């Protein structure tokens, strides 16, 4: 699943039009924008569940989304079941496609196939959602981890509601891998999930403190229960927590650098961006080659002491022996490439190794959407991250810019170091830098970097610290690139 949840991402709003970032010499090349970028600035009764949905008696042990607009077909089960091309069972469903309900089939839980056309598309449903469908249809699938042994197993996914009946405390439980229609009330004494209980109470107290009311509602027949609005908020927070955890795991699977990526939202109910895909390097548009086929490298055995790649290009070595930046903004960085004799510990190999710091994508509390903060202290003039995205032509950037103008945000970054031919668009494809906010007093500075591609029209964009940055501090750079 690539991308899930509601989307806001970085809202890089412009009062007069869409804004491009610039990485020209000195970072002071006038922007060709039409405006300027400002600072961003289910409740269930306690009745006995239907056969096959009630968890086994005794204690419920904790051993450890949704399909969007899809819903199960209303036809009889026998009419819905069939065989896939490889002999496995499938589940028929109706999915809303562009506002029209379309019959689809879930093959092995991984692909959706239009029933009337030979067209397969990736299934955007989460693993848990497909597991729910399998259990509801009493199907097993080894690929999904649903076997005869665990088809009827129960694990607490989150807690939905609370009540007291005849002196006994009950919690409404959402079972992992089961649809919400299988939710059941379980006595507190049978629950062995302290962390989920902690989440439940903290979410409840947070909501009540926001409303400045902390009294439970007394219903008929003297059953003490939560206000339904509070219970709904708790469920939303639980779903958000699961979605953000899944997104964090996805980001860390896809990254290729040393530092970890964390995700945090203690501000609102916003989930992961809906249409954002994590990449580690430039994604060139058709017809654009971001690798120029370099076939030579330096012959150094000790790069700082000998004539190296920067000197061959007519510039100075960018780093000192402590791997600290020593050149001024506006000057390019030439790192050793894959054909150089020096090894991976060469002090002239910094940007190519990726960010060494653990960073956190977090929800800002002042309306600026998502931001990025460091979880480690960063010393001055150190490489922090690279700005990546789709590499497109200037003409395509102009077309996309008109669309972004209507949305009030943009991630266009002009590669105008030597010419103004290409642009990086990080709106849909990018890395952690996609979420970095603007500031007129930034702690990051842009530098142009050349490694395995010496085409001056296609530099890599690296962000270095301008000063010491404390752990927990937000990372920012100046979209207008007006210097440090």
């Amino acid at each position: 699943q690539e991308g899930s949840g509601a989307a806001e991402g970085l809202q890089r709003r412009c009062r007069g039009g869409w804004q491009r970032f610039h990485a020209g010499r000195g970072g002071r090349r006038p922007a060709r924008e039409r405006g300027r970028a400002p600072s961003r600035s289910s409740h269930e009764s306690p009745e006995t569940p239907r056969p096959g949905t009630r968890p086994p008696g005794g204690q419920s042990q904790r051993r450890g989304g949704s399909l969007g607009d899809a819903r199960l077909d209303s036809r009889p089960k026998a009419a819905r079941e069939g065989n896939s091309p490889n002999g496995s069972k499938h589940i028929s469903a109706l999915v809303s496609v562009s506002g029209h309900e379309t019959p689809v089939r879930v093959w092995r839980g991984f692909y959706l196939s239009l029933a009337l056309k030979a067209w397969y598309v990736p299934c955007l449903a989460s693993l848990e959602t497909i597991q729910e469908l399998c259990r509801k249809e009493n199907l097993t699938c080894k690929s999904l981890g649903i076997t005869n042994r665990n088809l009827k197993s129960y694990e607490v996914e989150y807690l939905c509601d609370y009540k007291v009946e005849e002196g006994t405390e009950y919690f409404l439980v959402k079972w992992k891998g089961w649809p919400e229609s299988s939710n059941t009330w379980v006595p507190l004494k049978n629950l062995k999930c302290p962390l989920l209980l902690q989440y439940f109470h903290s979410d409840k107290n947070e909501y009540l403190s926001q409303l400045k009311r902390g009294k439970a509602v007394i219903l008929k027949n003297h059953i003490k229960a939560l206000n339904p609005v509070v219970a709904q908020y708790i469920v939303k927070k639980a779903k958000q927590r699961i979605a953000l955890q899944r997104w964090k795991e996805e980001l860390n699977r896809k990254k290729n650098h040393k530092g970890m990526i964390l995700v945090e939202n203690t501000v609102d109910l916003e989930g992961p961006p809906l249409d954002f895909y994590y990449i580690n390097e430039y994604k060139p548009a058709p017809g654009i080659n971001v690798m120029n086929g370099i076939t030579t490298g330096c012959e150094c055995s000790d790069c700082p002491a000998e004539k190296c790649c920067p000197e061959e290009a007519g510039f100075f070595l960018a780093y000192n022996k402590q791997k600290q930046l020593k050149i001024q903004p506006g000057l390019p960085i030439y790192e050793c490439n894959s054909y150089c004799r020096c090894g991976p510990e060469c002090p002239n190999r910094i940007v190519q190794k990726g960010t060494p710091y653990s960073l956190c994508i977090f929800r800002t509390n002042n309306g600026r959407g998502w931001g990025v903060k460091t979880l480690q202290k960063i010393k001055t003039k150190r490489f922090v991250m690279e700005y990546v995205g789709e590499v497109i032509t200037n003409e395509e950037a102009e077309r996309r810019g008109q669309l972004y103008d209507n949305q009030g945000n943009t991630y266009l970054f002009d590669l105008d170091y030597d010419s103004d031919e290409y642009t990086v668009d990080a709106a849909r494809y990018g890395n952690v830098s996609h979420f970095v906010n603007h500031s007129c007093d930034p702690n990051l500075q842009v530098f142009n970097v050349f490694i395995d591609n010496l085409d001056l029209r296609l530099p890599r964009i690296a962000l270095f610290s301008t000063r010491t940055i404390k752990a927990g501090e937000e990372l920012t750079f100046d979209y207008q690139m007006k210097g440090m």
Side-chain angles (χ1 to χ4, degrees):
Q1 178 185 1
E2 291 189 310
S4 62
E8 179 172 343
L10 278 180
Q11 296 301 316
R12 294 172 176 177
R13 298 179 175 87
C14 300
R15 295 171 183 168
W18 54 274
Q19 168 68 38
R20 298 258 203 97
F21 310 150
H22 289 260
R25 297 180 186 272
R28 296 178 176 84
R29 185 170 180 169
R32 297 182 297 101
E33 76 282 3
R34 293 175 294 139
R36 61 187 184 88
S39 299
R40 282 184 299 178
S41 359
S42 123
H43 300 281
E44 181 141 332
S45 65
E47 299 174 358
T48 303
R50 300 183 306 277
T53 62
R54 183 181 178 88
Q59 295 181 345
S60 56
Q61 300 293 329
R62 179 176 182 262
R63 285 172 275 166
S66 70
L67 189 59
D69 295 326
R71 60 181 177 82
L72 289 178
D73 197 334
S74 60
R75 293 179 296 163
K77 180 178 178 181
R80 297 195 304 266
E81 294 183 351
N83 293 318
S84 69
N86 56 16
S88 61
K89 283 189 175 182
H90 65 263
I91 305 170
S92 293
L94 288 177
V95 177
S96 177
V97 180
S98 301
H100 301 284
E101 288 188 339
T102 304
V104 299
R105 291 177 178 176
V106 181
W107 303 109
R108 292 185 178 272
F110 294 108
Y111 292 93
L112 292 177
S113 168
L114 293 182
L116 302 179
K117 297 180 180 180
W119 179 39
Y120 291 80
V121 295
C123 179
L124 297 182
S126 67
L127 176 63
E128 289 80 3
T129 298
I130 303 300
Q131 289 176 337
E132 291 177 7
L133 291 172
C134 284
R135 286 195 166 100
K136 191 167 185 177
E137 294 292 314
N138 202 33
L139 299 174
T140 60
C141 178
K142 187 176 180 179
S143 299
L144 293 172
I146 304 296
T147 64
N148 287 324
R149 187 175 181 178
N150 65 15
L151 182 61
K152 298 298 181 182
S153 66
Y154 292 85
E155 176 185 348
V156 180
E157 185 171 20
Y158 56 85
L159 304 175
C160 309
D161 203 351
Y162 168 86
K163 70 178 181 180
V164 177
E165 186 177 31
E166 297 180 355
T168 302
E169 295 180 281
Y170 291 88
F171 284 87
L172 184 61
V173 173
K174 166 63 171 69
W175 302 103
K176 187 174 183 179
W178 289 89
E180 292 184 0
S181 60
S182 299
N183 291 0
T184 54
W185 289 94
V186 176
L188 173 60
K189 63 181 181 180
N190 291 349
L191 292 174
K192 303 299 178 182
C193 47
L195 181 59
L196 296 183
L197 286 167
Q198 179 181 333
Y199 286 150
F200 183 92
H201 291 299
S202 63
D203 292 340
K204 178 193 68 175
N205 294 334
E206 177 185 339
Y207 184 81
L208 293 176
S209 64
Q210 290 175 359
L211 298 181
K212 296 183 179 180
R213 68 186 186 204
K215 295 181 179 180
V217 179
I218 305 299
L219 303 178
K220 294 181 179 180
N221 61 13
H222 306 289
I223 297 176
K224 179 186 279 190
L226 287 179
N227 187 315
V229 176
V230 181
Q232 290 172 11
Y233 175 81
I234 292 173
V235 170
K236 289 178 180 179
K237 285 294 293 185
K239 290 182 177 180
Q240 178 201 52
R241 189 175 290 113
I242 293 171
L244 292 178
Q245 174 65 22
R246 187 180 298 131
W247 186 39
K248 184 191 77 171
E249 294 170 354
E250 178 190 340
L251 295 176
N252 284 282
R253 284 196 308 269
K254 292 184 176 181
K255 72 173 180 64
N256 64 356
H257 52 78
K258 179 181 178 180
M260 295 295 294
I261 304 174
L262 275 69
V263 179
E264 175 186 290
N265 185 355
T266 61
V267 176
D268 54 32
L269 293 171
E270 190 73 17
L274 183 62
D275 193 24
F276 173 74
Y277 307 99
Y278 194 94
I279 58 176
N280 293 290
E281 55 190 19
Y282 283 161
K283 178 182 175 64
I288 298 177
N289 182 17
V290 297
M291 299 296 292
N292 71 348
I294 187 171
T295 58
T296 60
C298 69
E299 299 293 327
C300 306
S301 58
D302 184 5
C303 289
E306 303 177 39
K307 189 174 183 180
C308 194
C309 298
E311 291 188 51
E312 291 289 344
F315 296 93
F316 296 106
L317 189 70
Y319 314 110
N320 58 26
K321 290 186 178 182
Q322 289 72 43
K323 301 181 180 181
Q324 188 177 28
L325 195 67
K326 65 179 185 180
I327 63 173
Q328 295 299 314
L331 293 176
I333 297 174
Y334 282 85
E335 290 195 359
C336 292
N337 59 60
S338 55
Y339 284 89
C340 293
R341 178 179 293 183
C342 55
E345 297 305 315
C346 169
N348 194 36
R349 297 181 184 271
I350 303 296
V351 173
Q352 59 193 265
K353 292 183 178 181
T355 179
Y357 305 103
S358 291
L359 306 174
C360 179
I361 302 171
F362 75 104
R363 194 71 174 171
T364 62
N365 58 7
N366 55 4
R368 293 178 298 129
W370 296 99
V372 178
K373 61 183 176 182
T374 177
L375 300 176
Q376 301 173 245
K377 178 181 177 181
I378 301 176
K379 295 182 180 180
T380 184
K381 298 184 183 300
R382 302 283 179 163
F383 169 67
V384 179
M385 69 181 75
E386 189 174 353
Y387 194 94
V388 301
E390 292 181 271
V391 179
I392 58 178
T393 63
N394 185 56
E395 291 75 16
E396 175 64 13
E398 295 289 344
R399 187 191 69 80
R400 294 189 186 187
Q402 301 300 323
L403 298 176
Y404 295 154
D405 192 16
N406 297 327
Q407 300 172 4
N409 60 74
T410 186
Y411 302 86
L412 297 174
F413 201 133
D414 279 347
L415 299 180
D416 53 5
Y417 171 74
D418 182 68
S419 63
D420 195 12
E421 193 170 335
Y422 299 111
T423 295
V424 176
D425 183 3
R428 297 186 68 228
Y429 297 91
N431 61 3
V432 176
S433 64
H434 168 100
F435 302 96
V436 177
N437 278 310
H438 161 81
S439 174
C440 293
D441 183 24
N443 49 27
L444 299 179
Q445 172 70 43
V446 169
F447 282 81
N448 296 276
V449 184
F450 299 92
I451 307 175
D452 283 314
N453 183 6
L454 300 182
D455 189 339
L456 297 181
R457 303 170 302 168
L458 291 166
R460 292 166 65 166
I461 305 303
L463 298 172
F464 285 78
S465 59
T466 62
R467 56 174 175 79
T468 299
I469 306 175
K470 299 179 181 179
E473 186 176 347
E474 182 175 1
L475 302 175
T476 60
F477 72 94
D478 184 358
Y479 293 174
Q480 298 286 344
M481 303 315 303
K482 295 178 181 178
M484 290 190 283

